[in-house]
Amino acid sequence: MIVDKIKKRDNKSIIKKDNKVDIPEGKWIKCEHCKEIIYKEVLKANNGICPTCGHYFRMNCKSRIEIIADEGSFKKFNINIDTVNPLKMQDYKEKLEKFREKTNMDEAVQCGTCKINGIETVLCVMDSNFFMGSMGSVVGEKITYSIEKAINLKLPIIIFSCSGGARMQEGIISLMQMAKVTEALTKLDKAGNLYISVLTDPTYGGVTASFANLGDIILAEPKAMIGFAGQRVIEQTIGEKLPDGFQTAEFMLEHGFIDKIVERNLMKETLYDLLRLNGYKKV
Amino acid sequence: MPTKKENNKNASIKDRKCNNKNGITAWERVEIARNSNRKTALDYIKIIFDEFIELHGDRLFKDDKATVCGLARIGNQNFTVIAQQKGRNTKENIERNFGMPNPESYRKAIRLMKQAEKFNRPIVTFVDTKGAYPGIGAEERGQGEAIARSMFEMAKLTVPIIVVVIGEGSSGGALAITIGNKIIMLENAIYSILSPEGYASIVWKDSSRAKEAAEVMKLTAKDLYDFKIVDKIIKEDKEFEDVALKIKSEIKKELKELQKLSSKELVEQRYDKFRNIGEYETYSKKV
Ligand SMILES: [Zn+2]
């Protein structure tokens, strides 16, 4: 169990910052919250949660799918599409290629079907490592396609949001993806399929103002930053500092905009319970 | 204050420029769309409709004056009107939060749009906002949820929805009331993912390059028409009243067409319009 892993952690794998130990590139990572240096393998085994302070590191798509889907059950939808670069932005395509090399993903979301303790579902996972998880025409199309697939396959859909918002490089076309995905969700709603939206750090802008907020059930990871407007924009507009805890998952829960905050280590079981209690069964 | 003669016209940089559409840059359109003398939603409503009664409040928290809603009539046809309203002077601008809606604007709009459906009334929305207000209260009361819900509810409505973009259409704050069957846009109105300043600041880390951003963002009526987002552009080459009357005749014309569709077909037509936005090519490299 994961909890055991935390307890049994090898203390030697954590080195205090002030010990001035040479950190081999790539093997170690610093927790920005408690400043401890953590061995990456230990962090991975602990689902990206700092073993010292409990800080949640952002999770890439692959790791997320690993902790949510039953082993080997994730089957990616076959949608090989690329943006046509509608604004003809210089270096946009090159930037995309760089993110592809860095993340080994084709775009900021991965979509497919999987099983959660035997219950089949559509799963979409966004990844902030790819262009800040921003939504352009490809992300919008992939999520829309996934919603339509859920309707056709009579499956529930779970979307893990993790995004800075709409992708600027595609301008108005990106903005319109919010409308497109929302339209698709009305069909899902009518068809009666369950949609669980999971908000992870960060969920902002056009994603917050569309599908992330339209789940039948909305979950969030602890301390995830969730909001519509960015904090810098708000501070500049109102000319004052923002209160502590503003736009956190806990803030969202307090103000009534999410159903439940779920610890990362309990997410799979919680999703399983929610699917079960909504009448979905193992296949 | 504008003189009486200027009052008769909508804001424009120079009439000569306006008549020469090739000579006008995207940035100049941004300046026209934002001009403090540009006509606001209530100015259009006054000319387009024979009657208008404003209805207030979202029944949840407050009446947000950045959006004006109400019942209206052209001839024998009743409408529900949802309009983003900028102030026409400093006092009004403060009252209307410079046309930047808080969540209550969208919740008021949702309430009245659902009411329109109940009484089978077509809906006309007027888009004119710098964007949804970025404030503490707005976030506390779910700005994102309000925008998402507004789009979601509009998408389901079984009555005709005609959207008129009259000034600035910026970001999700504008999109929230843009889910229409037909979208009409004034020649000098703009519609964009974000303000050119915000865009330049995010993409180039330099908000002073706003002018440059406006040229690449494709935010003019012509750009949106080419993207098949906007269905009709209305020229602003005449006096303000004439332009408003042109909008009126377009609303009547579009409504006549839309009324030929069944409730189900209206929802489907709207679905198809937004479902098909976005162009792709095949991604060939193996990832
Ligand atoms: Zn830590």
Side-chain angles (χ1 to χ4, degrees):
Chain A
M1 279 301 290
I2 293 137
V3 182
D4 295 334
K5 276 178 190 160
I6 303 173
K7 285 178 188 156
K8 286 183 205 156
R9 70 175 201 263
D10 178 3
N11 276 321
K12 282 175 200 159
S13 64
I14 301 158
I15 297 161
K16 289 273 181 208
K17 187 191 161 200
D18 38 4
N19 280 1
K20 284 186 183 166
V21 175
D22 274 353
I23 304 164
E25 186 69 34
K27 282 195 173 179
W28 303 81
I29 191 164
K30 186 169 142 191
C31 171
E32 60 193 58
H33 189 249
C34 69
K35 315 289 180 205
E36 294 254 24
I37 310 290
I38 312 157
Y39 193 48
K40 271 190 182 170
E41 287 300 315
V42 170
L43 185 68
K44 192 169 185 288
N46 201 28
N47 291 341
I49 303 169
C50 172
T52 304
C53 73
H55 170 73
Y56 279 37
F57 282 71
R58 287 178 186 170
M59 228 177 188
N60 67 30
C61 228
K62 191 168 162 274
S63 312
R64 180 76 66 186
I65 292 168
E66 274 171 20
I67 68 162
I68 297 300
D70 294 351
E71 205 179 335
S73 72
F74 184 75
K75 292 192 176 56
K76 207 172 137 184
F77 292 137
N78 186 23
I79 350 167
N80 287 317
I81 48 170
D82 195 6
T83 173
V84 296
N85 192 8
L87 303 191
K88 304 281 166 271
M89 285 288 285
Q90 263 187 355
D91 70 21
Y92 175 41
K93 286 268 188 178
E94 288 152 42
K95 266 191 183 158
L96 279 170
E97 284 306 326
K98 273 187 193 155
F99 280 117
R100 280 165 187 153
E101 270 169 38
K102 196 185 119 195
T103 63
N104 207 26
M105 290 171 63
D106 55 355
E107 256 287 354
V109 69
Q110 287 221 36
C111 308
T113 58
C114 75
K115 283 179 187 159
I116 295 180
N117 294 344
I119 299 180
E120 205 177 3
T121 182
V122 170
L123 178 68
C124 300
V125 178
M126 302 183 87
D127 191 332
S128 63
N129 295 301
F130 194 106
F131 236 119
M132 231 9 247
S134 57
M135 175 165 61
S137 52
V138 173
V139 170
E141 178 65 23
K142 285 192 170 192
I143 294 175
T144 303
Y145 178 89
S146 302
I147 295 165
E148 290 169 346
K149 269 288 192 192
I151 298 169
N152 292 337
L153 298 169
K154 298 189 167 50
L155 293 177
I157 179 166
I158 300 168
I159 304 178
F160 277 83
S161 288
C162 182
S163 175
R167 186 173 298 165
M168 292 301 140
Q169 283 76 3
E170 292 181 42
I172 193 70
I173 299 295
S174 293
L175 187 76
M176 290 295 158
Q177 301 308 305
M178 294 164 63
K180 174 159 124 181
V181 178
T182 301
E183 282 278 4
L185 284 174
T186 63
K187 292 222 163 175
L188 185 85
D189 187 59
K190 206 176 168 202
N193 303 42
L194 175 70
Y195 164 31
I196 302 177
S197 169
V198 188
L199 315 181
T200 68
D201 186 60
T203 298
Y204 273 87
V207 168
T208 294
S210 62
F211 60 88
N213 254 309
L214 292 170
D216 295 303
I217 297 171
I218 306 178
L219 307 177
E221 283 199 329
K223 299 198 174 71
M225 296 302 292
I226 303 157
F228 173 63
Q231 299 215 339
R232 203 166 43 94
V233 175
I234 300 173
E235 279 182 345
Q236 279 169 359
T237 306
I238 64 174
E240 53 186 274
K241 283 294 246 183
L242 297 170
D244 282 346
F246 183 68
Q247 289 184 329
T248 56
E250 292 71 19
F251 170 95
M252 294 296 283
L253 183 72
E254 187 194 334
H255 289 285
F257 289 98
I258 58 177
D259 290 283
K260 197 172 170 59
I261 293 175
V262 180
E263 301 265 345
R264 188 174 285 172
N265 293 339
L266 299 173
M267 188 60 84
K268 180 172 181 172
E269 290 308 314
T270 305
L271 289 171
Y272 171 68
D273 290 343
L274 290 171
L275 291 171
R276 227 170 16 82
L277 290 172
N278 273 281
Y280 292 96
K281 294 187 170 65
K282 290 183 193 187
V283 282
Chain B
M1 284 295 288
T3 66
K4 204 175 176 190
K5 187 165 179 289
E6 279 170 331
N7 252 336
N8 235 355
K9 289 221 169 215
N10 213 340
S12 62
I13 293 176
K14 276 177 193 160
D15 292 341
R16 184 171 49 84
K17 265 189 180 166
C18 269
N19 290 332
N20 175 11
K21 66 177 174 188
N22 296 325
I24 192 160
T25 66
W27 176 251
E28 284 169 328
R29 297 221 197 263
V30 171
E31 289 187 313
I32 294 171
R34 285 175 176 176
N35 192 301
S36 59
N37 288 330
R38 190 166 174 85
K39 299 294 180 183
T40 64
L42 282 172
D43 300 313
Y44 288 102
I45 288 169
K46 205 173 165 186
I47 295 175
I48 293 170
F49 298 98
D50 302 331
E51 257 186 288
F52 176 69
I53 301 176
E54 189 176 352
L55 301 172
H56 295 273
D58 67 350
R59 300 293 191 272
L60 297 163
F61 187 71
K62 70 176 229 183
D63 181 44
D64 187 10
K65 293 183 173 59
T67 301
V68 166
C69 303
L71 299 180
R73 181 180 62 80
I74 300 176
N76 294 322
Q77 179 64 56
N78 298 330
F79 292 87
T80 288
V81 171
I82 310 290
Q84 291 172 333
Q85 179 64 32
K86 287 181 178 172
R88 288 169 289 195
N89 51 52
T90 308
K91 186 177 162 280
E92 272 189 25
N93 257 326
I94 290 164
E95 192 178 83
R96 301 202 180 276
N97 201 29
F98 296 83
M100 298 173 88
N102 272 287
E104 295 71 39
S105 263
Y106 302 112
R107 294 188 181 126
K108 172 164 67 174
I110 292 166
R111 177 176 81 84
L112 288 158
M113 288 192 287
K114 284 179 138 181
Q115 198 175 91
E117 185 180 47
K118 177 178 174 183
F119 298 108
N120 200 25
R121 271 194 298 270
I123 297 166
V124 177
T125 74
F126 292 90
V127 175
D128 189 14
T129 182
K130 279 190 222 316
Y133 186 64
I136 292 177
E139 295 290 321
E140 284 173 340
R141 301 193 301 278
Q143 188 73 283
E145 193 275 345
I147 292 169
R149 189 67 54 192
S150 181
M151 290 194 290
F152 188 78
E153 293 301 337
M154 274 184 103
K156 293 194 295 179
L157 293 174
T158 55
V159 293
I161 306 172
I162 298 167
V163 177
V164 191
V165 185
I166 55 170
E168 271 183 287
S170 189
S171 108
L175 185 65
I177 61 160
T178 303
I179 315 302
N181 294 91
K182 291 287 168 190
I183 304 177
I184 298 167
M185 188 160 170
L186 289 184
E187 187 182 23
N188 292 323
I190 56 166
Y191 204 109
S192 58
I193 186 168
L194 195 61
S195 70
E197 289 82 1
Y199 188 91
S201 150
I202 290 178
V203 177
W204 299 316
K205 315 267 173 267
D206 182 2
S207 63
S208 70
R209 288 170 72 184
K211 228 170 167 171
E212 204 181 321
E215 303 306 322
V216 302
M217 284 172 78
K218 297 202 194 285
L219 45 65
T220 67
K222 169 82 169 55
D223 293 325
L224 270 92
Y225 183 82
D226 290 344
F227 280 137
K228 299 189 176 72
I229 295 167
V230 159
D231 300 288
K232 174 87 193 175
I233 302 172
I234 292 181
K235 279 204 182 332
E236 296 183 59
D237 51 359
K238 295 197 176 95
E239 296 284 303
F240 163 66
E241 277 81 358
D242 297 315
V243 174
L245 289 171
K246 186 83 179 79
I247 297 175
K248 179 179 182 166
S249 74
E250 275 307 318
I251 290 172
K252 284 165 77 176
K253 202 175 104 194
E254 294 291 4
L255 183 64
K256 211 174 154 192
E257 289 305 307
L258 291 172
Q259 281 175 332
K260 290 176 187 164
L261 303 178
S262 69
S263 301
K264 207 179 156 215
E265 285 167 336
L266 280 168
V267 176
E268 282 304 309
Q269 188 268 347
R270 213 179 297 128
Y271 182 83
D272 291 341
K273 180 174 173 61
F274 290 94
R275 174 66 184 88
N276 295 325
I277 296 175
E279 288 168 43
Y280 327 93
E281 53 197 29
T282 307
Y283 185 63
S284 46
K285 278 189 200 166
K286 186 90 185 121
V287 179

